[in-house]
């Protein structure tokens, strides 16, 4: 089953990894930050070794986005981000795992201070809505 793990964050300034630019992360003791970084690297290594990681990409600053909406019968292009928000999509990982339980276990390891992680199944191919 394929799932997308979306990392929502809003660091100031924008940068990657986003956690390093968030106050909630920066305020943690160094040993906690080191453990979180090691845990994240471990899960990425595991996903890659198991063939479960399809792709993962960081996204550029939301201020660089271009929005395309339909207006008066034609596309209307405006500067982004999509909306004024406390969080923006910072990046994503596409995984292909055995079941929802595995996807949830992986997504939980992606969560960190000051960020929100969203897990969503793909509809097809390999998603739950086939």
């Amino acid at each position: 089953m394929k799932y997308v793990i979306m990392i929502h964050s809003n660091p100031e300034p924008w940068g990657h990894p986003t956690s390093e630019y968030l106050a909630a992360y920066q305020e943690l003791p160094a040993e906690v930050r080191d453990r979180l970084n090691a845990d994240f690297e471990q899960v990425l290594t595991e996903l890659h070794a198991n063939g479960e990681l399809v792709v993962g990409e960081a996204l550029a600053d939301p201020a660089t986005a271009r929005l395309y909406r339909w207006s008066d019968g034609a596309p209307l292009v405006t500067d982004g981000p999509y909306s004024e928000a406390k969080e923006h999509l910072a990046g994503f990982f596409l995984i292909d795992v055995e079941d929802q339980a595995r996807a949830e276990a992986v997504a939980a390891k992606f969560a960190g201070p000051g960020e929100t992680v969203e897990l969503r199944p793909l509809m097809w191919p390999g998603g739950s809505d086939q």
Side-chain angles (χ1 to χ4, degrees):
M1 296 181 67
K2 290 185 180 175
Y3 288 82
V4 65
I5 299 171
M6 294 175 277
I7 312 298
H8 298 273
S9 189
N10 193 14
E12 292 295 331
W14 191 265
H16 287 281
T18 55
S19 59
E20 291 184 9
Y21 297 86
L22 297 168
Y25 178 84
Q26 294 169 346
E27 293 166 359
L28 294 172
E31 60 272 6
V32 174
R33 291 192 312 267
D34 291 345
R35 181 181 49 79
L36 291 172
N37 290 338
D39 289 350
F40 182 75
E41 289 301 322
Q42 187 274 329
V43 75
L44 282 181
T45 299
E46 181 182 300
L47 288 168
H48 183 71
N50 293 343
E52 296 173 312
L53 179 63
V54 177
V55 68
E57 295 291 340
L59 299 177
D61 189 328
T64 65
R66 300 285 285 163
L67 306 178
Y68 297 81
R69 292 186 172 96
W70 196 254
S71 178
D72 296 324
L76 172 66
V77 182
T78 59
D79 289 334
Y82 178 72
S83 64
E84 295 300 319
K86 290 184 179 181
E87 294 180 336
H88 300 286
L89 184 60
F92 67 93
F93 294 85
L94 181 61
I95 59 174
D96 190 355
V97 295
E98 185 175 337
D99 55 27
Q100 183 174 344
R102 172 66 177 151
E104 290 177 0
V106 170
K109 293 185 178 188
F110 279 71
E115 297 179 312
T116 300
V117 173
E118 179 180 352
L119 176 67
R120 192 180 302 176
L122 271 59
M123 289 183 67
W124 67 96
S128 61
D129 290 341
Q130 287 188 1

